[in-house]
Amino acid sequence: MIQGERLRELRKQRNFTLQALAAQTGLSPSLLSQIERGLVDPTVSTFWKICTSLNVPLTYLFEGVDEDRVVVRKNQRRKIQLSDEKVKYHELTSNRSGKLDFLMVEIQAGEMKEAELVAHSGEECGIVLQGELIVILRDQEIHLQEGDSIHFSSTTPHRYVNPGSEASLSIWAMTTSLI
């Protein structure tokens, strides 16, 4: 779950009103207010729009340890879950101030990461460790099997789908544009 209070503080630090952030993201001020108050968890595409508009990495607003550790032990990973409880993100680094997000993405069988295509600044590189994964890049579907990897510009609208009968587990490195 994201830290709504942290989102509100960051929005104010960046001199955004709810209306200004709504205009920047294409979301309603009401939805943003509900997210800030912890009443609603955003979808992945909504969350990316917020992070992109505020120019912060995906992991910046999640609950968990804030300290910069060199090593993240398996039992110390923060698990990130938005509104789709079938998808889990496991944070593999603790550094929130860098330009790189390093995540393990777990998608249950037959579930997709997000129905809406997502686009943001940066690049993504991933490898499928278990199961299978379809990466949709604009109107192209790329079917990946265990051991396959992919690299693409995050500015290309994309999403992930697990078409298999078992959970899909993949590792992703994503660059972000920071101030």
Side-chain angles (χ1 to χ4, degrees), residues 81-178:
Q81 242 175 325
L82 296 170
S83 64
D84 183 352
E85 54 190 60
K86 302 280 185 182
V87 181
K88 289 182 187 169
Y89 301 85
H90 304 261
E91 191 173 32
L92 301 177
T93 58
S94 63
N95 184 354
R96 293 182 179 183
S97 60
K99 295 180 181 178
L100 181 69
D101 285 329
F102 192 46
L103 303 167
M104 181 168 54
V105 179
E106 180 181 353
I107 306 174
Q108 296 304 310
E111 297 295 327
M112 63 180 68
K113 182 177 167 219
E114 179 66 29
E116 183 180 341
L117 297 179
V118 176
H120 50 91
S121 64
E123 297 178 72
E124 296 187 28
C125 183
I127 184 168
V128 178
L129 300 179
Q130 172 187 307
E132 55 188 302
L133 189 67
I134 292 177
V135 177
I136 299 173
L137 293 176
R138 193 161 290 150
D139 56 0
Q140 179 184 14
E141 288 190 8
I142 302 167
H143 198 138
L144 302 175
Q145 301 289 333
E146 215 168 279
D148 293 343
S149 60
I150 188 170
H151 171 259
F152 57 92
S153 170
S154 302
T155 58
T156 303
H158 60 280
R159 69 176 170 163
Y160 310 144
V161 178
N162 176 1
S165 57
E166 66 175 314
S168 172
L169 196 60
S170 54
I171 301 286
W172 292 88
M174 303 173 195
T175 62
T176 56
S177 173
L178 297 175

